[in-house]
Amino acid sequence: MGAAQLAATIGPALAMIALQMQLSEVAGLARTNIALTNQVLTTIRHEQWAELTALVASIDRAVDRAREIKSVPTSLWNSVAGTEPALRKQRDLYRLNVSDHIRQIRHNTQGRRVYLGTNAEAILFDAHALLSSLKAWTGYQALHAARARAAGADDLDEACLVEVIARDTRTALDSALSEVTSLVEALTRELRIIVELPGRGTLPLSGKRKDSTAVRQTSAGLLEAIQPLANALRPPAPPLEVLDAVCAPESLDLEPYLRVLRWFLDDGETLRVLGFPDQPEASDPLSSILNGAMGKLAAARDKAPAKTLVAVTDRRIITAKTNTFLEQGEIRQEIPIERVRYVRAATSRDKSSRSAIDLITRDENIRWHFQVDIENTQVDTLAAVLAESMTIPDIEREELQRRSHAAIGAGSKGEIVGTTSTEPTGSEATTGIAE
């Protein structure tokens, strides 16, 4: 066979196999798709849904007939050839909707939980509709490619078109599935956190659902609807097990924290150590007294002292107020480990001789105090894990050197450049952990 014949037979055949695989992939997701309830369908976008389902049914019927006769005759192709603009419109519409949901979730960190709650049903609908439109679009492209393949035996350009269709369809499919995965993952994570919360639930899914029971029931129902799709797109991570490296009182039950924290970790992220220091102390005496009184009130109300959760992974340091974390599933701060500059385990100068850890990052200085019933070895373990990340990037070191040279240059012109010692006094015994 000549090169032209090879291109007209082998190439299109491989392209058709690729298209068949793509169509099977999307169809498989559609079968495990969101189990939309009658209530959702009767309240959201009737006209849009009717138009989409009609297109999907038309393409499905044509694909089934083409598979049965192993060909795409002219009459069959003509029955769907004019649907391309409508299919493109549906695909682009729901891609825009899904992209908007993702943008709101990623960039509106303060109102993310409220947005997910008030738009959960619309998010479910749009994710389902996007997958359905992708399924129809991919089926149409498969029919088009099969039609071009049949003509490719006599026309080399038609044979080349098959490969172009397969390439473009794969690119569009990968991009859209990535968007759906991000959206479904974000929604599923938030719903799972709400369901796992042992404290008071506060997500207002609608204006009439304010109590925690209604919130959890609604979240559980939405989670049940979206979970098959979420698991098909990306299987959930296994539950977190109790770590050997824990810096906490013996009486503290870690299970509620691990159940919620599981859904904050990204794919492949590993939890290394947990710590439970007290809240940072205020700098002035009046604030210290007020904070102490507020802490006692919180302890009496919630049967647990207000403390800080510190979770160290192989990628970041997550901190949260324990009460807020268990009641609302909210974290206070995320510090990438590459921003850690210095770590020190220290003994405070107060009468209780509590252990403490100083964490110096690129942007701030943090001190955590630990209760006296927490062993110093536990504190040292937490500090050691943090210290593994200590580094000063070359760009920051060079900037400090430039500032030093500028100061020396200014001093040589007649200015006196002074230095102030910041070393700790003898009343504070410290153990530095350096590189």
mmCIF file of all heavy atoms in Angstrom, residues 11-21 142-143 145-147 149 162 166:
data_model
loop_
_atom_site.group_PDB
_atom_site.id
_atom_site.type_symbol
_atom_site.label_atom_id
_atom_site.label_comp_id
_atom_site.label_asym_id
_atom_site.label_seq_id
_atom_site.Cartn_x
_atom_site.Cartn_y
_atom_site.Cartn_z
ATOM 1 N N GLY A 11 -4.697 5.613 9.561
ATOM 2 C CA GLY A 11 -4.869 6.824 10.371
ATOM 3 C C GLY A 11 -6.305 7.049 10.796
ATOM 4 O O GLY A 11 -6.605 7.144 11.978
ATOM 5 N N PRO A 12 -7.259 7.105 9.889
ATOM 6 C CA PRO A 12 -8.659 7.290 10.267
ATOM 7 C C PRO A 12 -9.180 6.179 11.174
ATOM 8 O O PRO A 12 -9.994 6.422 12.060
ATOM 9 C CB PRO A 12 -9.389 7.306 8.925
ATOM 10 C CG PRO A 12 -8.363 7.772 7.950
ATOM 11 C CD PRO A 12 -7.069 7.196 8.424
ATOM 12 N N ALA A 13 -8.715 4.969 10.962
ATOM 13 C CA ALA A 13 -9.180 3.870 11.814
ATOM 14 C C ALA A 13 -8.754 4.101 13.256
ATOM 15 O O ALA A 13 -9.533 3.923 14.199
ATOM 16 C CB ALA A 13 -8.622 2.544 11.294
ATOM 17 N N LEU A 14 -7.499 4.506 13.436
ATOM 18 C CA LEU A 14 -7.027 4.794 14.800
ATOM 19 C C LEU A 14 -7.787 5.972 15.389
ATOM 20 O O LEU A 14 -8.119 5.987 16.578
ATOM 21 C CB LEU A 14 -5.526 5.084 14.772
ATOM 22 C CG LEU A 14 -4.618 3.895 14.417
ATOM 23 C CD1 LEU A 14 -3.162 4.335 14.342
ATOM 24 C CD2 LEU A 14 -4.771 2.779 15.455
ATOM 25 N N ALA A 15 -8.047 6.976 14.583
ATOM 26 C CA ALA A 15 -8.798 8.125 15.075
ATOM 27 C C ALA A 15 -10.199 7.718 15.497
ATOM 28 O O ALA A 15 -10.735 8.203 16.503
ATOM 29 C CB ALA A 15 -8.854 9.210 14.002
ATOM 30 N N MET A 16 -10.824 6.826 14.750
ATOM 31 C CA MET A 16 -12.166 6.370 15.110
ATOM 32 C C MET A 16 -12.161 5.601 16.415
ATOM 33 O O MET A 16 -13.057 5.721 17.249
ATOM 34 C CB MET A 16 -12.731 5.490 13.983
ATOM 35 C CG MET A 16 -13.235 6.272 12.785
ATOM 36 S SD MET A 16 -14.524 7.460 13.232
ATOM 37 C CE MET A 16 -15.747 6.369 13.939
ATOM 38 N N ILE A 17 -11.096 4.789 16.638
ATOM 39 C CA ILE A 17 -10.982 4.075 17.914
ATOM 40 C C ILE A 17 -10.889 5.073 19.066
ATOM 41 O O ILE A 17 -11.519 4.916 20.112
ATOM 42 C CB ILE A 17 -9.756 3.146 17.895
ATOM 43 C CG1 ILE A 17 -9.975 2.006 16.905
ATOM 44 C CG2 ILE A 17 -9.474 2.583 19.282
ATOM 45 C CD1 ILE A 17 -8.748 1.124 16.693
ATOM 46 N N ALA A 18 -10.097 6.127 18.859
ATOM 47 C CA ALA A 18 -9.965 7.149 19.903
ATOM 48 C C ALA A 18 -11.303 7.818 20.185
ATOM 49 O O ALA A 18 -11.667 8.058 21.342
ATOM 50 C CB ALA A 18 -8.925 8.191 19.486
ATOM 51 N N LEU A 19 -12.063 8.132 19.142
ATOM 52 C CA LEU A 19 -13.363 8.761 19.331
ATOM 53 C C LEU A 19 -14.336 7.832 20.039
ATOM 54 O O LEU A 19 -15.128 8.254 20.881
ATOM 55 C CB LEU A 19 -13.942 9.186 17.981
ATOM 56 C CG LEU A 19 -13.482 10.552 17.459
ATOM 57 C CD1 LEU A 19 -13.976 10.766 16.050
ATOM 58 C CD2 LEU A 19 -13.971 11.663 18.367
ATOM 59 N N GLN A 20 -14.284 6.549 19.699
ATOM 60 C CA GLN A 20 -15.155 5.591 20.384
ATOM 61 C C GLN A 20 -14.827 5.543 21.875
ATOM 62 O O GLN A 20 -15.705 5.468 22.728
ATOM 63 C CB GLN A 20 -14.978 4.190 19.766
ATOM 64 C CG GLN A 20 -15.562 4.048 18.367
ATOM 65 C CD GLN A 20 -17.079 3.954 18.395
ATOM 66 O OE1 GLN A 20 -17.685 3.817 19.441
ATOM 67 N NE2 GLN A 20 -17.699 4.046 17.229
ATOM 68 N N MET A 21 -13.527 5.594 22.197
ATOM 69 C CA MET A 21 -13.122 5.581 23.611
ATOM 70 C C MET A 21 -13.620 6.839 24.326
ATOM 71 O O MET A 21 -14.071 6.784 25.466
ATOM 72 C CB MET A 21 -11.603 5.461 23.713
ATOM 73 C CG MET A 21 -11.054 4.123 23.239
ATOM 74 S SD MET A 21 -9.248 4.066 23.247
ATOM 75 C CE MET A 21 -8.921 4.272 25.000
ATOM 76 N N ALA A 142 -18.282 11.867 16.695
ATOM 77 C CA ALA A 142 -18.013 10.495 16.264
ATOM 78 C C ALA A 142 -18.747 10.185 14.964
ATOM 79 O O ALA A 142 -18.196 9.543 14.053
ATOM 80 C CB ALA A 142 -18.419 9.512 17.369
ATOM 81 N N LEU A 143 -19.991 10.626 14.854
ATOM 82 C CA LEU A 143 -20.746 10.428 13.620
ATOM 83 C C LEU A 143 -20.096 11.181 12.456
ATOM 84 O O LEU A 143 -19.988 10.661 11.330
ATOM 85 C CB LEU A 143 -22.193 10.898 13.807
ATOM 86 C CG LEU A 143 -23.053 10.081 14.778
ATOM 87 C CD1 LEU A 143 -24.366 10.807 15.046
ATOM 88 C CD2 LEU A 143 -23.315 8.674 14.224
ATOM 89 N N ALA A 145 -16.947 12.025 12.184
ATOM 90 C CA ALA A 145 -15.686 11.370 11.832
ATOM 91 C C ALA A 145 -15.937 10.094 11.034
ATOM 92 O O ALA A 145 -15.192 9.786 10.082
ATOM 93 C CB ALA A 145 -14.895 11.056 13.099
ATOM 94 N N ALA A 146 -16.961 9.344 11.425
ATOM 95 C CA ALA A 146 -17.275 8.122 10.680
ATOM 96 C C ALA A 146 -17.688 8.451 9.249
ATOM 97 O O ALA A 146 -17.337 7.733 8.295
ATOM 98 C CB ALA A 146 -18.386 7.356 11.399
ATOM 99 N N ARG A 147 -18.440 9.526 9.102
ATOM 100 C CA ARG A 147 -18.855 9.958 7.760
ATOM 101 C C ARG A 147 -17.630 10.354 6.923
ATOM 102 O O ARG A 147 -17.513 9.988 5.749
ATOM 103 C CB ARG A 147 -19.807 11.151 7.899
ATOM 104 C CG ARG A 147 -20.390 11.635 6.596
ATOM 105 C CD ARG A 147 -21.389 10.649 6.044
ATOM 106 N NE ARG A 147 -21.984 11.158 4.810
ATOM 107 C CZ ARG A 147 -22.707 10.422 3.996
ATOM 108 N NH1 ARG A 147 -22.939 9.142 4.276
ATOM 109 N NH2 ARG A 147 -23.219 10.939 2.889
ATOM 110 N N ARG A 149 -14.598 9.340 7.427
ATOM 111 C CA ARG A 149 -13.785 8.144 7.209
ATOM 112 C C ARG A 149 -14.269 7.378 5.968
ATOM 113 O O ARG A 149 -13.467 6.877 5.164
ATOM 114 C CB ARG A 149 -13.838 7.248 8.431
ATOM 115 C CG ARG A 149 -13.004 5.984 8.284
ATOM 116 C CD ARG A 149 -13.333 4.990 9.381
ATOM 117 N NE ARG A 149 -12.609 3.739 9.160
ATOM 118 C CZ ARG A 149 -12.873 2.613 9.798
ATOM 119 N NH1 ARG A 149 -13.859 2.579 10.676
ATOM 120 N NH2 ARG A 149 -12.178 1.530 9.566
ATOM 121 N N VAL A 162 -10.643 13.272 9.675
ATOM 122 C CA VAL A 162 -10.964 12.377 10.784
ATOM 123 C C VAL A 162 -10.010 12.612 11.948
ATOM 124 O O VAL A 162 -10.423 12.711 13.116
ATOM 125 C CB VAL A 162 -10.901 10.903 10.324
ATOM 126 C CG1 VAL A 162 -11.196 9.974 11.494
ATOM 127 C CG2 VAL A 162 -11.891 10.660 9.200
ATOM 128 N N ALA A 166 -10.849 14.055 15.752
ATOM 129 C CA ALA A 166 -10.484 13.316 16.968
ATOM 130 C C ALA A 166 -9.619 14.168 17.895
ATOM 131 O O ALA A 166 -9.824 14.204 19.113
ATOM 132 C CB ALA A 166 -9.750 12.031 16.600
#
